[in-house]
Structures are given as C-alpha cells and as structure tokens.
Amino acid sequence: QVQLVESGGGLVQAGGSLRLSCAASGRTFTSYVMGWFRQAPGKEREFVAAIAWVRGNTAYVDSVKGRFTISRDIAKNTVYLQMNSLKSEDTAVYYCAADRDPSATIILTPRGYDYWGQGTQVTVSS
C-alpha cells in the first residue's frame, strides 16, 4: 500500500508562487510515475504534471508550461510542484497521484493512477 500526503497549498495573489509537496510512503518507487492533478468546482479532475521516478522525464499540461515545475527528491520520497506566475484559473484542489508503471510511461488521465492523496486547496486571488 502507498500513502501520499500533500502539503503546501494556500491562498496567494495572482502572480505569486506556491510549492506543493507530496510525501510518499509504503513502497519503493522505482517503478512509479508520480503525477499532480487538479479539480476546480464543477469541473473534472485534470492532469497538471507528472514525473517518472527513476528516469526523471516529465510532462505538463499546456496551460502550466513555463510556469510550473515538477521535481522529486528520491532520498526523501517526495515530489514537488513549484507553481510560479499563478493565475486565478489555477484555483483548484491539487492532488498527488502514483502510477505503478515499470515502463515509466506518463499517463495523462486520472484513471491511469493507482494511489491518491487527500488533496490540498490552492486559491489564487485576482
């Protein structure tokens, strides 16, 4: 079993920055892809970014490219999402997710992920 715990959400003004963290425990993650998703009120959960745990290759949704950066600290079993130049449309609950995939193929849909955190609220005021 894998446990994922997000932190770092909060209220920030447009143009500001936040860093989300996802602490993972319960397994070794050599065959995992770690992802960040978000869900705004009344909308479906959408892919934001992902990183292959060992290879380190990444993927981003177009709307955050150049503003968000996903990274991982293997020693700490932690994944980060650095969010800069935040916009009001970034407001959502952000979820960390883990996909058991030895091929390290990054999946962009929520159903491709096996484990989820509880989510952390990010609110960007304009």
Side-chain angles (χ1 to χ4, degrees):
Q1 190 69 13
V2 171
Q3 294 82 41
L4 304 174
V5 179
E6 303 100 332
S7 62
L11 173 65
V12 64
Q13 289 188 334
S17 298
L18 283 174
R19 188 177 79 157
L20 305 183
S21 299
C22 172
S25 62
R27 290 245 182 195
T28 58
F29 295 92
T30 54
S31 298
Y32 280 72
V33 170
M34 305 298 293
W36 285 98
F37 289 77
R38 65 186 179 186
Q39 188 166 18
K43 295 188 176 181
E44 293 186 352
R45 192 167 298 189
E46 68 166 348
F47 172 82
V48 176
I51 186 167
W53 190 257
V54 174
R55 289 170 52 189
N57 51 298
T58 59
Y60 297 90
V61 67
D62 285 347
S63 61
V64 308
K65 285 181 180 177
R67 300 189 298 123
F68 290 12
T69 302
I70 189 170
S71 62
R72 83 274 193 242
D73 185 325
I74 294 176
K76 294 183 178 180
N77 269 4
T78 300
V79 178
Y80 302 99
L81 186 68
Q82 178 66 44
M83 305 185 295
N84 298 328
S85 302
L86 282 161
K87 305 175 182 179
S88 57
E89 51 262 45
D90 296 318
T91 295
V93 177
Y94 283 70
Y95 296 91
C96 177
D99 170 27
R100 293 170 298 177
D101 186 352
S103 72
T105 300
I106 291 179
I107 305 297
L108 306 186
T109 57
R111 62 183 179 182
Y113 288 76
D114 304 292
Y115 302 99
W116 292 86
Q118 81 288 351
T120 185
Q121 177 70 46
V122 172
T123 303
V124 184
S125 63
S126 56

